């Protein structure tokens, strides 16, 4: 499976090294779905590779792909709660 740079794996999962909650776009992800800190991205991002999940979550929009990812891992409710509550660390990261 080749990475199509769909962006979903930089939005859907929670990434502790970045203090990034579920379903929240990584602040380092550019509008073209590229990593703006590629040379210094965390190990967990380095270790991540395209796999079967990428095919299972294929959809026309990033939003749909993220939804499918969260549903696949049964994380939809948790992600919704985080979105509704807001995430102060991400707000701070975006301002930075
Ligand atoms: S979800 Fe898969 S195809 Fe999409 S950017 Fe990540 S590795 Fe690439
Ligand atoms: S640091 Fe880069 S590779 Fe890691 S989630 Fe953010 S944009 Fe994606």
């Amino acid at each position: 499976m080749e990475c199509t740079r769909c962006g979903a794996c930089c939005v859907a999962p929670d990434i502790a090294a970045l203090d990034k909650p579920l379903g929240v776009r990584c602040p380092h992800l550019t509008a073209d779905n590229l990593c703006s800190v590629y040379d210094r991205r965390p190990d967990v991002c380095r270790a991540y590779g395209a796999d079967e999940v990428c095919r299972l979550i294929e959809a026309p929009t990033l939003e749909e792909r993220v939804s499918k990812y969260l549903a696949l891992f049964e994380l939809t409710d948790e992600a919704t709660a985080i979105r509704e509550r807001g995430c102060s660390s991400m707000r701070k990261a975006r301002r930075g």
Side-chain angles (χ1 to χ4, degrees):
M1 173 86 205
E2 207 169 314
C3 174
T4 59
R5 297 182 178 170
C6 82
C9 62
C10 298
V11 180
D14 60 316
I15 303 178
L18 294 166
D19 206 11
K20 183 189 112 37
L22 281 173
V24 175
R25 188 182 178 90
C26 174
H28 304 304
L29 189 64
T30 67
D32 308 337
N33 290 340
L34 295 175
C35 178
S36 65
V37 295
Y38 192 76
D39 291 339
R40 54 193 173 87
R41 70 197 189 286
D43 289 344
V44 65
C45 302
R46 288 171 197 272
Y48 198 93
D51 60 17
E52 183 65 8
V53 172
C54 308
R55 196 184 56 75
L56 292 172
I57 63 170
E58 273 173 356
T61 68
L62 178 58
E63 199 181 27
E64 288 171 81
R65 291 191 291 276
V66 169
S67 292
K68 284 175 88 170
Y69 180 105
L70 295 170
L72 188 65
F73 293 101
E74 300 183 352
L75 296 166
T76 306
D77 293 347
E78 213 178 311
T80 303
I82 288 167
R83 235 187 343 262
E84 282 170 3
R85 197 166 65 231
C87 174
S88 60
S89 63
M90 289 308 274
R91 279 198 295 273
K92 213 159 70 193
R94 280 173 210 284
R95 278 200 303 270

